Each structure stands twice: as C-alpha cells, then as structure tokens.
Amino acid sequence: MPQVVRPRIAVLHGTHPASPLPQRFRSLADREAVEVLHRAARVLVASLPVLTDRLVEALYEQEPGYRAAIESDRAEIWQEVHHSLRHNVGSLIQPREFREAAHRTSRRIGEIRAEQGVPLDAVLHAFRMGGAMVWQDLVDETARRDPDDVRLLVHVAADVWNFVDEHCGIVGDAYRQAERRLSWRRENQQWLMIAALLDGTARIADLCEAAAMLGLPEQGRYAVLAVASAPRGPQRPGPARPPLNLPDALPVAAPYGQSGPDGPPHHRPDTAPPPTAFPGTAPLWHTGPDAEFAILRLTGDPGDPGELHAIAAALDAPAGTRAGIGSVVEGLAALGDARRLAETALRACPASGGTVLLDEHLPDALVVTSPALGSALADRVLGPLDRLDPSDRDVILETLTAWLDADGSAQRAGARLYCHRNTVLNRLRRFEQLTGRCLTRPRDAVEVSLALAARRLLAP
C-alpha cells in the first residue's frame, strides 16, 4: 500500500503545487478517504498491544501451522507480530518513513518461518489474517467515530489489500530464498557426511547424526557400488560420470537361485531376473575423483548373495561402463572398507565394461590389489608365449581361457571356439610344452588362472 497511498498523501502535503494531478487521480473523496484512513490508523497504533493479542490468539486457533511455534515460544511470536503490525499500520500513515522497515520485517518473517519449517501457505494465511483484522478495525473505528465516513474507506480499500498482497509477495520470495539456502546447506552437509563415511574418516561420535541425516540405520547392512565410464582418451580427462539409469529404490531379490517377480531396479548393466523395489531405500551417490560411488542399503537375509546379484542384474548403463560391487559390511562405520572393496571390484572389471561382484571374483581381486606381483606372475607363467607369433600366441591364450571357463572340458571349450575337442587338447599340450606347466597339477592350474587374469586386467 505505501506506493499506492503515497501519491494521495503527497498531494495533501503540497509536494506538487505547480502541476496539479488530473481529476481521475485526485478528488475530494480521495482526500477525505485518506484523512479518515489516517485518523483510524492512529487509533490502531495506540492500541497495538491489544490488536497483537487478538491476532496471536486468532493464529493459534485458526492456523495449525503456527500453533506449534506459538506453544513453543508465545512471547517471541507476539513480539514478531507486534513489530510487523507497528510497521505496517505505520505505513498507512507515513508510507515513506515506514516502507523499507515494513519490507525488512516481512522479509525477516519469511526467512524465520522457512528456517522453522512452518509451511509457506500458513505464513501467507497469517499475513492475510492480519490484513483482514487491521481492515476490520479500521472500519469499526471509523464507524464508531462517524458512521457516515465508512463509505469513504471504499476509496482506499484496494490500496489496503494491495498492500497486503505486496507483503505476501515479499514474504513468499524471502521464504523461498531461505528455503533454497537451507536446502543447499543440507545438501552440502549431506555431501560432506557421505564423503567422510566413504573415506572412513567419520568420527564414531558422528555416526548417530549421520544416520539421522541420511535416513539410514547405524547398524544396517551395506555395500558400495563404484561406477566408471570407459577411458575417454587424452582429450577428455577428468572423473567418470556415466549417464546411468537407476531406480529410486534398491531391489529386493528372491532367494538365490530363484527368479524374482517383476519390479524396478537400480543403476546398471543388463537385466536378469527382474527384482522388486524395496520402498524408500534410495541409494546415496557421491562423486569421487575417478569414479561414482553409491551407498547401497541391503535388506535381505544376511549371507544370501541373491540381493547383490539382483542389484547387479538391475543396473542399466551405456556400453563400456564399468561397475564394481564390493562385499557386504555391517554398519555405517564400515563404509570406508566397503568403498575400498568396491574400488577393488571396479579394478577387476574388464576394460570393455560390465559389472563385477567382488565376492565372485576374488582371484581377480588378488591380482589387481597387487599389480606388481600380478605382472611378475604373468611374465613368469606366460612369458614363453611372447616368443611366438602374436596371432599364434593369442590362439593359445584364447583356448586356455575357454578351457578354464569350461571347467576343464575340452568338449565345451571346442564348442565355444568352434573347433574339435582334439584341437583344444593339442593347443593345451603345446602350452604345457612351451611353459613347462602341467594343467592337471592343481598348483600349476592356479598359477595359470591367476596369470591369465593378470594379463587381462593389468595390460596397459
């Protein structure tokens, strides 16, 4: 209202004597209406404490959003309402003097209510209740003094309600800005807390607060998922941020070995038996320097690997994306270990992409956790093959890998390689002759398997 009433008051005070306003902006009725308004507003200023009591009581009875705040600290709410009424009613009399103070008060109220979590609708309703009460008191006071003057208030009614709408807009803007700041602060605190948990640097004393902040049980079962895109070349350095598609909740698997019912999954490759979504269990993501990490809360039976299998099957990512899921850990305090296990699983993932469950690739994990020893083993076991023609060497290595994947069956290895089983056996014998290894000797078979993993995972 200050900006609307001000022209009328300015004319009354003679600020534009040389250029009178057009008749449509100034009339005798307008002048008289402003005088009536000022007269009634001065009476309201003199009785502000009573008006404040009535408004606070009305808010308590009619606005549930304010009830808890009033019960918690009625004196603070009373002072806030009184301060707002003093500036706003004062603006009816001296708009220039009170305008900025009234705006500051409204902005401050919006910010405080956002911080307290009072719904914005409740705050706006409170302002409109205050505007209605002030307007009714202006009408009542005018009628008490001279009933004939009530009709003049029609000329300023729009101004009063424009004033209320203006301050509702100010409160709404301040509330939303404060809400954005609070949201950013909460997100930043959450980011720092997740980073500390994954780094293993979170203090034991902070775990209870972390559990409440993240909505996770302190002693729950967890695993960590690490995801990275394929190498992007020297022209595109930086952390991997693949565009993965994950559901809002982690899947719940059927018992291991059984297919689960249809339902939404989480963040990665391929599909297998589609699992059902566990409501309200959303993964928490964190961006590291070389990979993306997700904290996965597990809700299945302890010791049942089916849940991690279901998660891996439900993940959906572009071709070339690599993902590793670490072993299950107990409690938020162990998430640092879970992250390291997930990184190990990620390193055990082929460069071509895919998903690796650490518990199913422990020999590969042994190789990548000690790359120097892995490379030495590969050189010792497979080094003699490097003297062959590369195409000849690759055929022998491919045959050896297929035979091991077929659990030592030359028949199945031949079917996979589209050759006769005798061809497979001949290539295996040649490998034994070149390397001095005996594939029927368990120790040699283990060394060969680890050497092949090292050659596959540690190749530059």
Side-chain angles (χ1 to χ4, degrees):
M1 182 177 60
Q3 77 277 18
V4 182
V5 174
R6 185 185 305 115
R8 296 171 177 165
I9 297 173
V11 172
L12 289 176
H13 288 237
T15 52
H16 302 285
S19 56
L21 293 175
Q23 180 64 28
R24 59 193 176 92
F25 288 117
R26 182 62 53 228
S27 68
L28 181 58
D30 288 338
R31 292 172 182 267
E32 292 174 348
V34 171
E35 291 173 359
V36 169
L37 177 67
H38 286 183
R39 191 162 53 239
R42 290 190 187 97
V43 175
L44 263 62
V45 169
S47 59
L48 273 183
V50 176
L51 178 59
T52 302
D53 288 340
R54 289 167 48 214
L55 181 52
V56 171
E57 190 60 32
L59 288 173
Y60 183 81
E61 294 177 355
Q62 301 176 34
E63 181 44 69
Y66 264 76
R67 197 165 296 151
I70 293 174
E71 289 176 346
S72 174
D73 195 340
R74 191 181 190 94
E76 180 186 355
I77 299 298
W78 193 96
Q79 289 294 338
E80 177 187 283
V81 172
H82 184 268
H83 196 61
S84 179
L85 288 173
R86 180 164 60 88
H87 286 101
N88 292 339
V89 176
S91 295
L92 301 177
I93 306 168
Q94 297 175 297
R96 290 185 178 180
E97 288 77 358
F98 283 92
R99 174 187 173 86
E100 289 304 320
H103 284 189
R104 285 195 301 272
T105 300
S106 296
R107 279 193 292 268
R108 181 59 180 155
I109 290 174
E111 292 169 354
I112 292 174
R113 292 295 163 259
E115 293 170 0
Q116 293 177 339
V118 177
L120 177 57
D121 286 347
V123 181
L124 298 178
H125 182 215
F127 263 75
R128 293 190 176 100
M129 286 176 62
M133 189 171 289
V134 168
W135 174 250
Q136 188 59 51
D137 280 12
L138 290 171
V139 173
D140 291 345
E141 172 57 27
T142 302
R144 185 193 63 81
R145 186 181 183 93
D146 187 346
D148 290 339
D149 287 344
V150 172
R151 61 181 177 78
L152 293 173
L153 291 180
V154 173
H155 296 272
V156 293
D159 295 342
V160 172
W161 288 106
N162 286 340
F163 177 80
V164 173
D165 287 342
E166 175 192 14
H167 280 259
C168 284
I170 292 171
V171 168
D173 289 343
Y175 185 102
R176 284 184 282 269
Q177 290 173 10
E179 205 172 34
R180 284 193 292 271
R181 289 195 300 270
L182 291 169
S183 176
W184 178 87
R185 193 180 306 158
R186 283 192 296 268
E187 290 174 0
N188 192 49
Q189 289 174 343
Q190 185 182 71
W191 187 91
L192 293 173
M193 185 61 72
I194 293 174
L197 290 171
L198 291 174
D199 289 343
T201 56
R203 301 184 307 168
I204 298 297
D206 293 336
L207 293 180
C208 183
E209 178 186 353
M213 179 187 300
L214 303 177
L216 298 173
E218 185 176 346
Q219 298 302 326
R221 296 171 57 250
Y222 298 98
V224 170
L225 163 70
V227 185
S229 62
R232 296 182 293 176
Q235 300 301 321
R236 300 176 62 190
R241 293 188 177 93
L244 300 173
N245 297 318
L246 298 175
D248 294 332
L250 296 181
V252 174
Y256 188 42
Q258 302 179 19
S259 60
D262 290 343
H266 195 90
H267 203 74
R268 268 222 42 97
D270 299 278
T271 41
T276 59
F278 186 81
T281 312
L284 297 176
W285 285 93
H286 181 78
T287 301
D290 300 310
E292 300 273 351
F293 298 97
I295 298 175
L296 311 176
R297 179 191 171 192
L298 306 179
T299 56
D301 295 331
D304 178 13
E307 190 168 13
L308 291 182
H309 280 270
I311 293 172
L315 300 179
D316 181 22
T321 301
R322 299 157 50 239
I325 302 176
S327 303
V328 178
V329 299
E330 297 289 338
L332 293 178
L335 282 178
D337 294 333
R339 177 192 61 82
R340 286 185 283 274
L341 293 172
E343 287 180 322
T344 299
L346 185 62
R347 291 199 298 273
C349 189
S352 58
T355 302
V356 165
L357 291 174
L358 181 65
D359 291 345
E360 295 190 347
H361 294 80
L362 293 177
D364 291 352
L366 288 174
V367 170
V368 297
T369 52
S370 183
L373 291 178
S375 297
L377 178 63
D379 290 342
R380 180 184 175 195
V381 175
L382 304 177
L385 300 181
D386 291 335
R387 293 191 290 269
L388 299 175
D389 182 85
S391 60
D392 195 12
R393 176 199 63 202
D394 292 344
V395 167
I396 293 177
L397 291 176
E398 182 183 22
T399 302
L400 187 58
T401 300
W403 179 76
L404 289 171
D405 289 344
D407 298 325
S409 169
Q411 186 75 35
R412 292 204 304 272
R416 184 174 300 181
L417 297 172
Y418 302 102
C419 65
H420 196 273
R421 65 180 296 275
N422 289 340
T423 303
V424 172
L425 293 174
N426 288 335
R427 292 172 182 173
L428 295 180
R429 276 193 293 271
R430 188 181 181 201
F431 169 79
E432 291 178 327
Q433 293 168 358
L434 291 170
T435 62
R437 305 284 167 171
C438 178
L439 294 176
T440 58
R441 188 184 303 141
R443 181 187 180 91
D444 285 358
V446 169
E447 289 186 353
V448 169
S449 177
L450 291 175
L452 286 171
R455 178 69 65 96
R456 171 171 49 87
L457 296 172
L458 303 177

